[in-house]
Structures are given as C-alpha cells and as structure tokens.
Amino acid sequence: LAKTTQPISMDSYEGQEVNITCSHNNIATNDYITWYQQFPSQGPRFIIQGYKTKVTNEVASLFIPADRKSSTLSLPRVSLSDTAVYYCLVGDGGDKIIFGKGTRLHILP
Amino acid sequence: NAGVTQTPKFRILKIGQSMTLQCTQDMNHNYMYWYRQDPGMGLKLIYYSVGAGITDKGEVPNGYNVSRSTTEDFPLRLELAAPSQTSVYFCASSQGTGFSSYGYTFGSGTRLTVV
C-alpha cells in the first residue's frame, strides 16, 4: 500500500488560493490519487481524483507531476466554508484504503 | 437516492454491552467499509468487504465483527463494549476498482460512547 505524507495543518485567508501537497513515493502503476474533504461531524466527501498531469473540476484542481511521487490539491479563492480536513489517498480501489491524518486547513477572515 | 445510511446516529453503551451498527447502501456497490474516527484523528479501517459473503480485516479489527449477507447491508457488531471503543463510526461504499469508480461514499456516522 502506498503511504502518503501531508502537512498536518495549514492556515490561509479568504480569497487566497490554497495548495496542499501530498507525497507518495512508492505509488504503484495501477494506483490513482484521490482527495477527500471532511467537515466536523461528517463523513469524508470525494473532491477529485487523478492519475497523471492535471485534473480540474468545479471544486478543485489536482496537479500530478510525471513521476507521480507527489500531488498537489489546489483550491481556488477559498472561503471560510473550506475550513476542513483534507485527505490524500493513493490506491486502485481493489484493496483496503488507509486514511492518514490528513491536513487540517483553517481559513481565516 | 439515499446513498449510505447508518443507524443509529448516537448511542451510549455500558461496558460489557453489545450492539450492532447498521449500514445500508442503495447504489449496488460491491465494496463496503467500516472506519472509526477518534477525536482529532484520521480514519482507521476496521473491516471491509469486496462483495456479499466476503469480509476481511482492516487496521483495527479487534473487538468487532462483521457480516455481509447481501450487497446492500454491512452491519458492524461490537461484543463486550469497552471505553476504548468510544468513537465515531463511519460506513462507506464504493463501486470497486479502477479510475473514477472507487470514490467512496460515506454515511453520516454513528457516535458511540461507552461508559
């Protein structure tokens, strides 16, 4: 199972772009990179998934370099409601997926 | 479309009691999972199932049991509850392997306190 490493916490201000980087040095060929968002007292919510290069949806962008040993979740123009814990997961879905501690993002006014 | 439904939402158990946490999904997902989340911590996998009749242990299976008799249901059984099992329990499901198919859908959680 590919292990991931993320910053424990980050602070940012409303309107800023936030980038959260995840390291996954032993990612396997069949693995995808998926990010989840979790608000207090709620289950995690799928944000974005990618395999290589760049993926963008209405919520975020995911940048993956050619070697795929890291990935960066980019949240454009954050608001207070983006305060949450963000998890980076790596796997192909065919096995047990292990959540790390995630990155606690705190958005300041 | 209800997604993943967990019951109950809250429960207080006395030490040594037993209970079953219910989880049902209506998306015809093959894969189902049980996680626990302690305050301020990440999620830890308890058990998972890749289909009806198949279950396997996760990171922290001790003190728990599961069964998967149907695709829809994946109950988690706590035998002889202990204070260390005080946590929030999340059930999740996914379609399975492959790109864009294994995103998890989580339930709203069961907050369990053992006193």
Side-chain angles (χ1 to χ4, degrees):
Chain A
L1 296 172
K3 182 180 177 181
T4 60
T5 303
Q6 309 174 227
I8 293 175
S9 65
M10 294 178 65
D11 290 340
S12 187
Y13 291 93
E14 279 193 294
Q16 299 284 320
E17 177 185 76
V18 172
N19 296 310
I20 305 174
T21 297
C22 179
S23 173
H24 28 80
N25 290 320
N26 60 339
I27 188 170
T29 302
N30 294 333
D31 287 345
Y32 303 99
I33 301 155
T34 312
W35 286 80
Y36 288 82
Q37 175 191 57
Q38 186 181 26
F39 298 114
S41 302
Q42 295 184 26
R45 181 177 74 105
F46 175 93
I47 299 177
I48 197 166
Q49 184 182 70
Y51 184 81
K52 61 180 179 180
T53 64
K54 177 184 175 182
V55 180
T56 298
N57 62 21
E58 65 278 6
V59 176
S61 294
L62 179 59
F63 299 92
I64 305 169
D67 66 6
R68 304 204 323 126
K69 293 184 182 300
S70 66
S71 59
T72 299
L73 174 73
S74 181
L75 304 172
R77 298 180 297 283
V78 293
S79 65
L80 295 176
S81 63
D82 291 315
T83 293
V85 179
Y86 293 82
Y87 296 95
C88 165
L89 274 69
V90 172
D92 67 358
D95 204 342
K96 51 191 178 185
I97 302 298
I98 306 299
F99 280 76
K101 294 184 178 180
T103 297
R104 194 171 297 273
L105 177 64
H106 187 205
I107 305 301
L108 304 167
Chain B
N1 194 345
V4 177
T5 302
Q6 291 184 235
T7 57
K9 294 191 182 302
F10 305 93
R11 183 73 185 269
I12 298 175
L13 277 182
K14 293 184 178 180
I15 295 172
Q17 287 185 320
S18 300
M19 77 164 293
T20 299
L21 282 65
Q22 302 292 344
C23 177
T24 300
Q25 53 94 6
D26 61 1
M27 297 169 286
N28 201 33
H29 283 171
N30 288 321
Y31 287 55
M32 296 188 75
Y33 312 82
W34 274 106
Y35 289 90
R36 61 175 285 175
Q37 186 173 36
D38 298 334
M41 305 297 286
L43 288 85
K44 290 191 179 296
L45 181 64
I46 305 171
Y47 271 97
Y48 69 106
S49 169
V50 301
I54 305 170
T55 63
D56 206 349
K57 296 178 180 179
E59 302 171 89
V60 289
N62 292 340
Y64 307 95
N65 280 301
V66 294
S67 60
R68 185 92 182 273
S69 57
T70 66
T71 299
E72 296 78 20
D73 300 309
F74 191 40
L76 177 71
R77 178 80 177 165
L78 276 72
E79 305 283 1
L80 299 175
S84 61
Q85 293 178 305
T86 294
S87 191
V88 180
Y89 291 84
F90 291 103
C91 178
S93 72
S94 72
Q95 189 172 342
T97 60
F99 185 67
S100 295
S101 70
Y102 91 90
Y104 289 92
T105 299
F106 279 82
S108 57
T110 295
R111 186 175 298 273
L112 176 67
T113 302
V114 181
V115 297

